[in-house]
């Protein structure tokens, strides 16, 4: 599967129905890293009006800003997760375990406010290929960007 931003006719899509979402919160048990409050860019996880989201950067490039239609909440893809690669699932950051558990798994409609950059995603991930899921994203991004 290529980047989610391209429709069948090659036009940029801005609305996606039925996107599987999960949730994560602070802590190594939830986000799979030893640095509990940081995203994949090394910056603090975002809370408030614009929140962090983790995704497969070969489908949802870093910097992709979107709104969940059902809730009106806005997110930016600034994190990754090993269980997300190839799944078309977006993991939404929540500021508490309770909020994370209340979210559970939901299929939602998202509207893209601004697409992120596949080139930036590739630049960031190229130095992180010791990890399998990063290697997979790099391979997909290189293939898409070569066309």
């Amino acid at each position: 599967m290529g980047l989610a931003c391209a429709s069948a006719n090659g036009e940029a899509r801005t609305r996606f129905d039925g996107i599987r979402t999960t949730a994560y919160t602070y802590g190594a048990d939830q986000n799979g890293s030893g640095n509990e409050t940081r995203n994949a860019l090394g910056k603090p996880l975002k809370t408030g009006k614009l929140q962090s989201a983790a995704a497969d950067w070969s489908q949802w490039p870093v910097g992709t800003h979107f709104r969940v239609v059902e809730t009106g909440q806005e997110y930016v893809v600034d994190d990754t997760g090993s269980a997300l690669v190839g799944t078309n699932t977006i993991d939404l950051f929540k500021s508490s375990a309770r909020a994370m558990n209340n979210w559970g798994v939901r299929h939602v409609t998202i509207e893209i406010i601004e697409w992120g950059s596949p080139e930036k995603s590739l630049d960031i991930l190229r130095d992180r290929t010791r990890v399998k899921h990063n290697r997979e994203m790099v391979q997909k991004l290189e293939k898409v960007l070569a066309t």
Side-chain angles (χ1 to χ4, degrees):
M1 175 187 266
L3 288 172
C5 57
S7 66
N9 63 6
E11 293 177 2
R13 288 182 59 193
T14 59
R15 185 179 176 102
F16 296 85
D17 298 315
I19 297 298
R20 183 178 187 269
T21 61
T22 52
Y24 70 111
T25 192
Y26 297 110
D29 290 343
Q30 287 79 29
N31 69 18
S33 75
N35 199 348
E36 298 100 27
T37 62
R38 304 275 174 192
N39 61 29
L41 304 173
K43 305 227 169 142
L45 290 163
K46 294 182 186 316
T47 60
K49 182 180 182 320
L50 182 64
Q51 300 176 58
S52 290
D56 176 344
W57 289 1
S58 65
Q59 294 179 304
W60 309 101
V62 66
T64 298
H65 179 186
F66 65 93
R67 177 183 308 106
V68 174
V69 172
E70 291 82 352
T71 65
Q73 292 173 306
E74 293 183 19
Y75 295 88
V76 64
V77 175
D78 61 7
D79 212 354
T80 64
S82 60
L84 301 172
V85 177
T87 66
N88 207 30
T89 296
I90 299 175
D91 207 5
L92 307 175
F93 178 71
K94 301 294 181 183
S95 59
S96 71
R98 182 177 182 165
M100 176 188 73
N101 292 330
N102 284 342
W103 186 266
V105 176
R106 298 185 193 184
H107 289 82
V108 299
T109 299
I110 66 170
E111 290 180 342
I112 303 300
I113 296 167
E114 180 179 358
W115 279 107
S117 169
E119 293 84 4
K120 182 176 179 182
S121 299
L122 183 57
D123 286 344
I124 292 166
L125 293 170
R126 272 198 177 121
D127 293 333
R128 302 177 184 188
T129 56
R130 289 175 296 183
V131 181
K132 182 183 178 200
H133 70 278
N134 288 347
R135 278 194 309 274
E136 291 175 16
M137 287 187 284
V138 165
Q139 290 169 352
K140 290 177 185 178
L141 285 163
E142 287 176 337
K143 187 175 183 179
V144 168
L145 291 171
T147 57

